[in-house]
Amino acid sequence: MVTFLVIAAAIALQIFLTARKLSPFLSLLVVAIPMGLALGIAPQDLLKTIDAGVGSTLSGLALVIVLGAILGKVLEESGAAEKIAATLIGRFGEGNIQWALLLTGFLVGIPLYFNAGFIILVPLIFSLARQTGLPVLYLAIPTVASLSTTHCFLPPHPGPVVLVNAFGADMGRTLLYGIVMAMPAVVFAGPFLGRRMQGINPPLPDLFTSTTLHKELPGAWCSFLVALSPVLLISVSVAADALLPEGRVRTALLFLGNPTVALLISTLAAFWWLGYRRGVGLGEQTRWLNAAISGIAVILLIITAGGVFKQVLVDSGVGARIAALSATWQMPPLVFAWLATAVLRVMIGSATVAVITAAGVVGPLVGTSGASPELMVLAVGAGSVFGSHVNDSAFWMFKEFFNLSMKQTFASWTVMESSISLVGLAGVLLLDLVLR
């Protein structure tokens, strides 16, 4: 009981520091160190735990996140993301505009982080709302639902990558399972809810001009191919691992499908096709790269501090107690993983911090329960988007950009995020039954 009181106090302190606007990087360290001492870790051992937490978290993770950020920045700066959106909407037509935006958000959201994808697609949403006269949330909900779903379920986004690394899951299988599971979640939380939110129709703010949408853009095929190339390479690798016999071809495909290698190849291809071939100089491309790295630096630091928090929980033996508690409650490990993460998300606000913290709490269940590590990744990912509210920066971003009241934001954004979480949990449990 004392152990759980210490954890509860640590989480309460984390919530307090978050509410006081202290950087999560500092607050996680500030909380983790006294928590480790209170849980009985000797000071000299705690120093080793900190080092182990940093090393285990960044190993196999830093390059994936950085390369993903660079690829997303190239797609943003070159106009490829905008071209993908315009092409899909042109093909689908106004009558199916929600489905076009859903697919746009999904394709843009795979390589881009939520904030970047949101900023890229918001001008398009406003432009379409003005052109068609449709309610803005009718168009916005399918778009942001896709971005949110890819962010919480699919590598190379930070949360799923952290969990794959922490649970020893297979990146390729996680990606494929995540895509399968994301489809019903994004359809329900996107077009289905979007149609029911037409009554929430705030006045369009005077934001963005159409000049961004009319600049010279790269070709559609090039844009699609570069954006999806990491997914294609990883998917081919998974198929080769399952179907091909031992040999050079299989070895080569497995190498090319390694997430770091796949993202490196895709990033170099993006610089070539979307940069050099279109007359963008090396200096400008370097500016894109530096901007991407500087933008992701804080996320990497937060993830690193979260890794320390997680390692303190692991080394203190809390994970074993949590696993025993799960057995006592006779709660399925996938449900317990979702519930623990959802509670952390509601209390802390940050999906990434909730994911990292939950990784330390529920990680031991992967080995003791026999649960699929890939499905544990997705269960935690589903829990990480539940109940987004005022302690989540994305809540405020959505509110301010779309000129919503607090009540309207709860009725739209919070409902959408919670729907993704609940449908995601149902999808995980269904996949578990199918795969058994």
Side-chain angles (χ1 to χ4, degrees):
M1 180 59 70
V2 174
T3 297
F4 294 112
L5 288 176
V6 170
I7 296 174
I11 292 174
L13 179 58
Q14 176 67 42
I15 295 169
F16 172 77
L17 294 175
T18 301
R20 301 296 293 179
K21 307 301 182 184
L22 182 65
S23 165
F25 168 66
L26 289 176
S27 64
L28 281 165
L29 291 177
V30 167
V31 171
I33 292 173
M35 180 180 69
L37 295 172
L39 290 173
I41 301 178
Q44 63 272 21
D45 293 331
L46 183 58
L47 296 176
K48 297 176 182 177
T49 293
I50 293 172
D51 290 339
V54 173
S56 64
T57 302
L58 291 183
S59 175
L61 174 66
L63 288 177
V64 170
I65 293 178
V66 170
L67 289 170
I70 296 170
L71 176 60
K73 189 65 175 178
V74 175
L75 292 171
E76 174 189 352
E77 294 285 355
S78 66
E82 186 180 317
K83 182 65 176 181
I84 291 171
T87 301
L88 289 172
I89 291 166
R91 295 291 175 87
F92 276 77
E94 186 175 321
N96 296 309
I97 196 167
Q98 279 194 314
W99 296 100
L101 287 169
L102 181 150
L103 188 54
T104 299
F106 200 83
L107 293 178
V108 170
I110 288 175
L112 268 68
Y113 296 108
F114 178 87
N115 289 354
F118 184 90
I119 295 301
I120 291 168
L121 294 179
V122 161
L124 174 66
I125 293 169
F126 286 146
S127 175
L128 289 171
R130 292 188 179 99
Q131 292 173 23
T132 63
L134 292 169
V136 67
L137 289 191
Y138 179 83
L139 304 173
I141 290 295
T143 312
V144 296
S146 293
L147 292 173
S148 181
T149 302
T150 56
H151 178 77
C152 68
F153 291 145
L154 304 183
H157 290 280
V161 172
V162 168
L163 294 171
V164 166
N165 193 52
F167 296 164
D170 180 87
M171 184 79 77
R173 288 195 185 93
T174 302
L175 177 60
L176 293 181
Y177 293 167
I179 291 173
V180 170
M181 195 185 74
M183 290 178 183
V186 78
V187 168
F188 180 83
F192 181 80
L193 285 181
R195 293 191 188 103
R196 282 149 184 79
M197 293 179 183
Q198 294 186 66
I200 306 174
N201 191 20
L204 286 175
D206 187 20
L207 291 173
F208 306 109
T209 63
S210 61
T211 54
T212 303
L213 300 178
H214 291 100
K215 65 185 179 183
E216 184 180 352
L217 300 176
W221 279 107
C222 177
S223 300
F224 277 99
L225 187 60
V226 171
L228 297 178
S229 54
V231 178
L232 295 174
L233 288 170
I234 293 172
S235 300
V236 169
S237 171
V238 172
D241 188 33
L243 302 175
L244 294 182
E246 292 290 343
R248 293 182 179 178
V249 174
R250 182 177 184 272
T251 300
L253 291 176
L254 291 178
F255 175 77
L256 295 175
N258 174 274
T260 301
V261 176
L263 277 166
L264 177 59
I265 293 171
S266 302
T267 301
L268 293 175
F271 275 125
W272 173 261
W273 287 102
L274 302 176
Y276 179 79
R277 287 287 297 272
R278 301 183 65 240
V280 179
L282 185 60
E284 181 68 7
Q285 293 187 48
T286 301
R287 185 187 69 79
W288 294 353
L289 183 146
N290 291 338
I293 294 175
S294 63
I296 205 67
V298 173
I299 293 178
L300 278 174
L301 288 174
I302 292 171
I303 290 172
T304 303
V308 173
F309 191 101
K310 178 205 73 174
Q311 195 66 39
V312 168
L313 291 173
V314 171
D315 290 357
S316 65
V318 168
R321 295 185 181 94
I322 294 289
L325 181 63
S326 175
T328 302
W329 287 355
Q330 295 184 337
M331 184 179 292
L334 294 173
V335 176
F336 183 82
W338 177 88
L339 180 62
T341 312
V343 170
L344 288 167
R345 158 69 162 182
V346 170
M347 292 190 299
I348 294 174
S350 167
T352 301
V353 175
V355 161
I356 296 168
T357 307
V361 173
V362 306
L365 291 178
V366 176
T368 60
S369 69
S372 163
E374 291 79 23
L375 293 183
M376 286 290 283
V377 170
L378 298 176
V380 172
S384 72
V385 292
F386 182 81
S388 171
H389 59 99
V390 295
N391 60 0
D392 180 11
S393 61
F395 175 95
W396 294 102
M397 187 165 64
F398 186 86
K399 176 186 180 299
E400 297 302 322
F401 268 99
F402 292 111
N403 198 24
L404 300 168
S405 67
M406 288 291 290
K407 180 180 178 180
Q408 290 172 327
T409 312
F410 277 111
S412 53
W413 170 261
T414 304
V415 169
M416 181 204 73
E417 289 281 88
S418 299
S419 298
I420 292 172
S421 180
L422 292 169
V423 176
L425 172 63
V428 168
L429 297 177
L430 183 60
L431 271 176
D432 187 45
L433 290 175
V434 172
L435 295 172
R436 282 187 181 275

